[in-house]
Amino acid sequence: MSLILRPTTERDLEFVVRTEGEASDAGVVTRQSLDEHLKYLTDKDIRHLIIEADGKPVGYLILAGLQDKEHETIELRRIVVAEKGKGYGRKVLQTVKKMAFEELNAHRLWLDVIDFNERARQLYASENFQVEGVWRERYKAHNGNGRESLVFM
């Protein structure tokens, strides 16, 4: 599998918004506007990347905190993979960890994940992310029934 991460361009944003919309409908990410993604492209504290497999976009990710020189902490703010079950998520996560620690000189890489997203939580745990806390009942459930918590790793 040929997998690369490349900077997101304005031309990619239609794919990003569509892919994010599908993940949002499933309740695993919050939807952001096209304008918000457009702002990320020029924000020096953000790295917005397209995930490509064999030359075709299959997802995107957002890293934040690139300007945190004092604490050297980077947030994996978002990772959305459109094609599940092909190993893209694991490969991207391994690449992001290497990028964060070797290229960006981070001391810490962290993320949060909605509590019911077992698939993602298992992947993160298998890649040595540790649960560090839970923000209980942070969001109203996407289906309108109850509340959902965020797990910090």
Coordinates of all heavy atoms in Angstrom, one line a residue, residues 104-143:
L104 N 8.6 17.5 14.3 CA 8.1 18.7 15.0 C 8.6 18.8 16.4 O 8.3 19.7 17.1 CB 6.5 18.6 15.0 CG 5.9 18.6 13.6 CD1 4.4 18.4 13.7 CD2 6.2 19.9 12.9
N105 N 9.4 17.8 16.8 CA 10.1 17.8 18.1 C 9.1 17.9 19.3 O 9.4 18.6 20.3 CB 11.1 18.9 18.2 CG 12.2 18.7 17.2 OD1 12.7 17.6 17.0 ND2 12.5 19.8 16.4
A106 N 8.0 17.3 19.2 CA 7.0 17.3 20.3 C 7.5 16.4 21.5 O 8.2 15.4 21.3 CB 5.7 16.7 19.8
H107 N 7.1 16.8 22.6 CA 7.3 16.0 23.8 C 6.1 15.1 24.0 O 6.2 14.1 24.6 CB 7.5 16.9 25.0 CG 7.5 16.2 26.3 ND1 8.5 15.4 26.8 CD2 6.5 16.1 27.3 CE1 8.2 14.9 27.9 NE2 7.0 15.3 28.3
R108 N 4.9 15.6 23.6 CA 3.7 15.0 23.8 C 2.8 15.1 22.6 O 2.7 16.1 22.0 CB 3.0 15.6 25.0 CG 1.7 15.1 25.5 CD 1.3 15.8 26.7 NE 0.1 15.2 27.3 CZ 0.1 14.1 28.0 NH1 1.2 13.4 28.2 NH2 -1.0 13.6 28.5
L109 N 2.1 14.0 22.3 CA 1.0 14.0 21.2 C -0.2 13.5 21.9 O -0.2 12.4 22.5 CB 1.4 13.0 20.1 CG 0.4 12.8 19.0 CD1 0.1 14.1 18.2 CD2 0.9 11.7 18.0
W110 N -1.3 14.2 21.8 CA -2.5 13.8 22.5 C -3.7 13.9 21.5 O -3.6 14.5 20.5 CB -2.8 14.6 23.7 CG -3.2 16.0 23.5 CD1 -2.3 17.1 23.3 CD2 -4.5 16.6 23.5 NE1 -3.0 18.2 23.1 CE2 -4.4 18.0 23.3 CE3 -5.7 16.0 23.7 CZ2 -5.5 18.8 23.2 CZ3 -6.8 16.9 23.6 CH2 -6.7 18.2 23.4
L111 N -4.8 13.3 21.9 CA -6.1 13.4 21.2 C -7.2 13.1 22.1 O -7.1 12.7 23.3 CB -6.1 12.3 20.1 CG -5.9 10.9 20.5 CD1 -7.2 10.2 20.9 CD2 -5.2 10.1 19.4
D112 N -8.4 13.4 21.6 CA -9.6 13.0 22.3 C -10.5 12.2 21.3 O -10.4 12.4 20.1 CB -10.4 14.2 23.0 CG -10.9 15.2 22.0 OD1 -11.6 14.9 21.0 OD2 -10.6 16.4 22.2
V113 N -11.3 11.4 21.9 CA -12.2 10.5 21.0 C -13.5 10.3 21.7 O -13.5 10.2 23.0 CB -11.5 9.2 20.7 CG1 -11.1 8.4 22.0 CG2 -12.3 8.3 19.8
I114 N -14.6 10.3 21.0 CA -15.9 10.1 21.6 C -15.9 8.7 22.2 O -15.4 7.8 21.7 CB -17.0 10.4 20.5 CG1 -18.3 10.6 21.1 CG2 -17.1 9.2 19.5 CD1 -18.5 12.1 21.5
D115 N -16.5 8.6 23.4 CA -16.4 7.4 24.1 C -16.9 6.2 23.4 O -16.4 5.1 23.6 CB -17.1 7.6 25.5 CG -18.6 7.8 25.5 OD1 -19.1 8.2 24.4 OD2 -19.2 7.7 26.5
F116 N -18.0 6.3 22.6 CA -18.5 5.1 22.0 C -17.8 4.6 20.7 O -18.1 3.6 20.2 CB -20.0 5.2 21.7 CG -20.3 6.2 20.6 CD1 -20.2 5.8 19.2 CD2 -20.7 7.5 20.9 CE1 -20.5 6.7 18.2 CE2 -21.0 8.4 19.9 CZ -20.9 8.0 18.5
N117 N -16.8 5.4 20.3 CA -16.0 5.0 19.1 C -15.0 4.0 19.4 O -13.8 4.2 19.5 CB -15.4 6.3 18.5 CG -14.9 6.0 17.1 OD1 -14.7 4.9 16.7 ND2 -14.5 7.1 16.4
E118 N -15.5 2.8 19.7 CA -14.6 1.7 20.1 C -13.5 1.3 19.1 O -12.4 1.0 19.4 CB -15.4 0.4 20.4 CG -16.2 0.5 21.7 CD -15.3 0.6 22.9 OE1 -14.2 0.0 22.9 OE2 -15.7 1.3 23.8
R119 N -13.8 1.4 17.8 CA -12.9 1.1 16.7 C -11.7 2.0 16.9 O -10.5 1.6 16.9 CB -13.5 1.2 15.4 CG -12.6 0.9 14.2 CD -13.3 1.2 12.9 NE -12.6 0.4 11.9 CZ -13.2 -0.5 11.1 NH1 -14.5 -0.7 11.2 NH2 -12.5 -1.2 10.2
A120 N -11.9 3.3 17.0 CA -10.8 4.3 17.1 C -10.1 4.1 18.4 O -8.8 4.1 18.5 CB -11.4 5.7 17.0
R121 N -10.8 3.9 19.5 CA -10.2 3.8 20.8 C -9.2 2.6 20.8 O -8.1 2.6 21.4 CB -11.2 3.7 21.9 CG -11.9 5.0 22.2 CD -13.0 4.9 23.2 NE -12.5 4.5 24.5 CZ -13.2 4.2 25.5 NH1 -14.5 4.3 25.5 NH2 -12.7 3.8 26.7
Q122 N -9.7 1.5 20.2 CA -8.8 0.3 20.2 C -7.6 0.5 19.4 O -6.5 0.1 19.7 CB -9.6 -0.9 19.6 CG -10.6 -1.4 20.6 CD -11.5 -2.6 20.1 OE1 -11.3 -3.0 18.9 NE2 -12.4 -3.0 20.8
L123 N -7.7 1.2 18.2 CA -6.6 1.5 17.4 C -5.6 2.4 18.2 O -4.4 2.1 18.2 CB -7.0 2.3 16.1 CG -5.9 2.9 15.3 CD1 -4.9 1.7 14.8 CD2 -6.4 3.7 14.1
Y124 N -6.1 3.5 18.8 CA -5.2 4.4 19.6 C -4.5 3.6 20.7 O -3.3 3.8 20.9 CB -6.0 5.5 20.2 CG -6.7 6.4 19.1 CD1 -7.9 7.0 19.4 CD2 -6.1 6.6 17.9 CE1 -8.5 7.7 18.4 CE2 -6.7 7.4 16.9 CZ -7.9 8.0 17.2 OH -8.6 8.7 16.3
A125 N -5.2 2.8 21.4 CA -4.6 2.0 22.5 C -3.5 1.0 22.0 O -2.5 0.9 22.6 CB -5.7 1.2 23.3
S126 N -3.8 0.4 20.8 CA -2.8 -0.5 20.2 C -1.6 0.2 19.7 O -0.5 -0.4 19.6 CB -3.4 -1.3 19.1 OG -3.6 -0.5 17.9
E127 N -1.7 1.5 19.6 CA -0.5 2.4 19.2 C 0.1 3.1 20.4 O 0.7 4.2 20.2 CB -0.9 3.3 18.0 CG -1.1 2.6 16.7 CD 0.2 2.0 16.2 OE1 1.2 2.6 16.3 OE2 0.1 0.9 15.5
N128 N -0.2 2.6 21.6 CA 0.4 3.1 22.8 C -0.2 4.4 23.3 O 0.5 5.1 24.2 CB 1.9 3.1 22.7 CG 2.5 1.8 22.5 OD1 2.1 0.8 23.1 ND2 3.4 1.7 21.5
F129 N -1.3 4.9 22.9 CA -2.0 6.0 23.5 C -2.6 5.5 24.8 O -3.3 4.4 24.8 CB -3.0 6.6 22.6 CG -2.4 7.5 21.5 CD1 -2.0 7.0 20.3 CD2 -2.4 8.9 21.7 CE1 -1.5 7.8 19.3 CE2 -1.8 9.7 20.7 CZ -1.4 9.1 19.5
Q130 N -2.5 6.2 25.9 CA -3.1 5.8 27.2 C -4.3 6.7 27.5 O -4.2 7.9 27.3 CB -2.0 6.0 28.3 CG -0.7 5.3 28.0 CD -0.9 3.8 28.0 OE1 -1.5 3.2 28.9 NE2 -0.3 3.1 27.0
V131 N -5.3 6.1 28.1 CA -6.4 6.9 28.5 C -6.0 7.7 29.7 O -5.4 7.2 30.7 CB -7.6 6.0 28.9 CG1 -8.7 6.8 29.6 CG2 -8.1 5.2 27.7
E132 N -6.2 9.0 29.7 CA -5.7 9.9 30.8 C -6.9 10.6 31.5 O -6.7 11.2 32.5 CB -4.7 10.9 30.2 CG -3.5 10.3 29.7 CD -2.4 11.3 29.4 OE1 -2.7 12.5 29.1 OE2 -1.2 10.9 29.3
G133 N -8.1 10.5 30.9 CA -9.2 11.1 31.5 C -10.4 11.0 30.6 O -10.3 10.7 29.5
V134 N -11.5 11.4 31.2 CA -12.8 11.4 30.5 C -13.5 12.7 30.9 O -13.7 13.0 32.0 CB -13.7 10.2 30.9 CG1 -15.0 10.2 30.2 CG2 -13.0 8.9 30.6
W135 N -14.0 13.4 29.8 CA -14.8 14.5 30.0 C -16.3 14.0 29.9 O -16.8 13.9 28.8 CB -14.5 15.6 29.0 CG -15.1 16.9 29.2 CD1 -16.0 17.3 30.2 CD2 -14.8 18.1 28.5 NE1 -16.3 18.6 30.1 CE2 -15.6 19.2 29.0 CE3 -14.0 18.4 27.4 CZ2 -15.6 20.4 28.5 CZ3 -14.0 19.7 26.9 CH2 -14.7 20.7 27.5
R136 N -16.9 13.7 31.0 CA -18.2 13.1 31.1 C -19.3 14.0 30.5 O -19.3 15.1 30.8 CB -18.5 12.7 32.5 CG -17.6 11.6 33.1 CD -18.0 11.1 34.5 NE -19.4 10.8 34.6 CZ -20.3 11.6 35.2 NH1 -20.0 12.7 35.8 NH2 -21.6 11.2 35.3
E137 N -20.1 13.3 29.7 CA -21.3 14.0 29.1 C -21.0 15.3 28.5 O -21.8 16.3 28.7 CB -22.4 14.0 30.2 CG -22.8 12.7 30.7 CD -23.9 12.7 31.7 OE1 -24.3 13.8 32.2 OE2 -24.3 11.6 32.1
R138 N -19.9 15.4 27.7 CA -19.5 16.6 27.1 C -20.5 17.1 26.0 O -20.7 18.3 25.9 CB -18.1 16.4 26.5 CG -17.6 17.5 25.6 CD -17.5 18.9 26.3 NE -17.0 19.9 25.4 CZ -17.7 20.8 24.7 NH1 -19.0 20.7 24.8 NH2 -17.1 21.7 24.0
Y139 N -21.0 16.2 25.2 CA -21.9 16.6 24.1 C -23.3 15.9 24.2 O -23.4 14.8 24.8 CB -21.3 16.0 22.8 CG -20.0 16.7 22.4 CD1 -18.8 15.9 22.5 CD2 -19.9 18.0 22.0 CE1 -17.6 16.5 22.1 CE2 -18.7 18.5 21.6 CZ -17.6 17.8 21.7 OH -16.4 18.4 21.3
K140 N -24.3 16.6 23.7 CA -25.5 16.0 23.5 C -25.3 14.9 22.4 O -24.6 15.1 21.4 CB -26.6 17.0 23.0 CG -27.0 17.9 24.1 CD -28.2 18.8 23.7 CE -28.6 19.7 24.8 NZ -29.7 20.6 24.4
A141 N -25.9 13.8 22.6 CA -25.8 12.7 21.6 C -26.2 13.1 20.2 O -27.2 13.8 20.1 CB -26.5 11.4 22.1
H142 N -25.5 12.6 19.2 CA -25.8 13.0 17.9 C -27.2 12.6 17.5 O -27.9 13.2 16.6 CB -24.8 12.5 16.9 CG -24.8 11.0 16.6 ND1 -24.3 10.1 17.5 CD2 -25.4 10.3 15.6 CE1 -24.5 8.9 17.1 NE2 -25.1 9.0 15.9
N143 N -27.8 11.6 18.1 CA -29.1 11.1 17.8 C -30.2 11.8 18.7 O -31.4 11.5 18.6 CB -29.2 9.6 17.9 CG -29.0 9.1 19.4 OD1 -28.8 9.9 20.3 ND2 -28.8 7.8 19.5

